[in-house]
Amino acid sequence: MSVSPAALVARRALAAASTSSHAGGARTWKILTFVLAIPAVAVCMANAYMKMQEHSHHERPEFVPYPHLRIRTKKFPWGDGNHSLFHNPQNNALPDGYETSHH
Amino acid sequence: MAHQAHAYHMVDPSPWPLTGAIAALLMTSGLAVWFHQHSMILMAIGTVLMLLTMYQWWRDIVREGTFQGHHTPPVQKGLRYGMILFITSEVFFFLGFFWAFYHASLAPTPELGGCWPPTGIFTLDPLEVPLLNTAVLLASGVTVTWAHHSMMGGDRKQAIQSLTMTIVLGFYFTVLQAMEYVDAPFTIGDGVYGATFFVATGFHGLHVMIGSIFLAVCLLRQIKHHFTSGHHFGFEAAAWYWHFVDVVWLFLYVSIYWWGS
């Protein structure tokens, strides 16, 4: 069985990364940080931003007073007891409908 | 003057377990009083007492280990077992919320429309911010490993740099998730979907904040030269906790954000 030189190099590098006595271990993870981890975050940031732009023309769903949603068995212990902690008047309807008229 | 003839740590008497127990009592009963009698005072006193207990207890552990030398190898081994057992208990804690989610979503009731997501629920796109959050936490796992190897190799500057990056990524996750919470078209009151979503992700977010604080304390201690290349268990415990937080997110992402959408 022959193993490719690239695979051998990769195997050696990863073995070095896992031994605690070899100072080269930190270098491997530093490289992974700047070559893999940070670019992946940057790509996902760009992707999320572009997708958000795509539907910034917010068509929010029409209000239907479903009984299984917007449950108010007990009042929230703050404010008027009818708004959740992260309530957003644009996106979150109250049990009787949206608070804001636009969109 | 007697000296100990063993390697273990016989801890001096301490008031913090008692103040911690009292804090737990005041916080829980305070929560009930807040819900039913609309007074926050008991809960506030409990919270303050809890914060004071945590600060002073952990300060004392740093004094005993770093400055007084009580954390011999057998003592450190015990601390490792302790952290592993604690994280295991946290795994079971989250298991319960995943159980609730799968119970509700695998056999959705007629009241929900017999489907999952329930009728009228508009889920978040898993490929938008949730995917970014996944990348952020995975990246922080890479940076915290870089920090560990730097510490083991005695590279002080790189350890500080990579640990700082880890904390920044954790903070970025928290900010992104808070924005998601505000922008979400559903709330915690939206039936079992809202309940399982916000309780599971909410407790996860709390653990991200706790983990970030743990790492920040380690950063402060690293700057103050508390850690050596061979002995830095406080940091290892923080790193283990951070990896646990990352793994919980991966399960949340696959189960609730992706499969459940």
Side-chain angles (χ1 to χ4, degrees):
Chain A
M1 180 190 88
S2 62
V3 187
S4 75
L8 282 169
V9 169
R11 194 195 296 166
R12 183 76 200 93
L14 288 168
S18 57
T19 61
S20 51
S21 55
H22 187 191
R27 190 162 162 270
T28 304
W29 289 97
K30 180 175 183 180
I31 290 169
L32 278 170
T33 296
F34 290 107
V35 167
L36 182 67
I38 304 288
V41 169
V43 163
C44 287
M45 277 170 79
N47 171 62
Y49 183 73
M50 289 192 306
K51 273 178 170 270
M52 264 170 57
Q53 299 283 67
E54 244 174 55
H55 60 74
S56 67
H57 51 87
H58 241 255
E59 328 100 6
R60 77 182 173 194
E62 180 200 324
F63 175 74
V64 179
Y66 290 117
H68 68 281
L69 298 181
R70 293 167 279 268
I71 309 244
R72 294 290 188 272
T73 311
K74 185 175 176 66
K75 277 167 52 166
F76 290 108
W78 52 75
D80 70 351
N82 202 24
H83 296 74
S84 68
L85 194 61
F86 295 90
H87 176 77
N88 182 341
Q90 302 287 38
N91 293 343
N92 305 136
L94 296 184
D96 47 14
Y98 288 104
E99 287 170 302
T100 60
S101 55
H102 97 289
H103 280 119
Chain B
M1 182 84 69
H3 291 97
Q4 68 180 54
H6 61 80
Y8 297 96
H9 183 198
M10 303 303 286
V11 187
D12 289 332
S14 163
W16 312 131
L18 179 63
T19 61
I22 293 171
L25 172 66
L26 293 181
M27 284 177 79
T28 48
S29 52
L31 196 67
V33 164
W34 182 42
F35 286 161
H36 297 283
Q37 283 146 38
H38 305 286
S39 159
M40 289 175 81
I41 184 75
L42 210 61
M43 195 170 64
I45 296 172
T47 308
V48 167
L49 191 56
M50 181 191 80
L51 292 168
L52 286 171
T53 300
M54 283 159 58
Y55 175 76
Q56 291 174 102
W57 195 337
W58 284 322
R59 175 207 63 193
D60 285 354
I61 294 174
V62 169
R63 285 175 176 176
E64 291 159 6
T66 304
F67 301 128
Q68 294 177 337
H70 287 294
H71 291 180
T72 60
V75 171
Q76 204 193 117
K77 192 167 172 210
L79 293 171
R80 285 175 190 275
Y81 278 131
M83 192 64 193
I84 288 167
L85 288 170
F86 172 66
I87 292 176
T88 305
S89 78
E90 294 250 78
V91 168
F92 281 105
F93 179 72
F94 277 97
L95 225 59
F97 298 119
F98 277 99
W99 184 351
F101 169 72
Y102 278 110
H103 177 98
S105 58
L106 284 167
T109 62
E111 288 86 349
L112 303 175
C115 53
W116 194 273
T119 310
I121 289 284
F122 298 89
T123 59
L124 303 173
D125 182 352
L127 298 175
E128 271 193 45
V129 175
L131 183 64
L132 172 58
N133 271 343
T134 305
V136 167
L137 282 186
L138 287 174
S140 71
V142 173
T143 55
V144 81
T145 307
W146 174 21
H148 191 195
H149 283 276
S150 303
M151 219 175 270
M152 290 191 288
D155 192 325
R156 175 184 164 76
K157 207 188 78 164
Q158 274 196 46
I160 289 171
Q161 182 186 356
S162 48
L163 189 45
T164 304
M165 284 173 76
T166 309
I167 295 163
V168 166
L169 285 165
F171 185 71
Y172 185 35
F173 176 94
T174 303
V175 165
L176 284 168
Q177 194 69 324
M179 286 168 62
E180 284 284 272
Y181 270 28
V182 172
D183 286 342
F186 51 86
T187 71
I188 197 172
D190 281 326
V192 71
Y193 184 87
T196 50
F197 180 91
F198 283 104
V199 169
T201 62
F203 272 116
H204 173 261
L206 188 64
H207 284 69
V208 170
M209 291 188 257
I210 290 167
S212 300
I213 294 170
F214 197 170
L215 288 166
V217 168
C218 287
L219 177 61
L220 189 66
R221 293 184 66 203
Q222 163 70 3
I223 290 168
K224 285 153 84 68
H225 300 270
H226 286 198
F227 299 133
T228 73
S229 58
H231 189 165
H232 43 258
F233 175 65
F235 170 77
E236 287 183 68
W240 291 349
Y241 195 79
W242 193 252
H243 287 306
F244 155 72
V245 159
D246 188 7
V247 169
V248 170
W249 171 260
L250 294 174
F251 277 95
L252 282 172
Y253 182 73
V254 168
S255 306
I256 296 181
Y257 285 91
W258 192 354
W259 176 83
S261 67

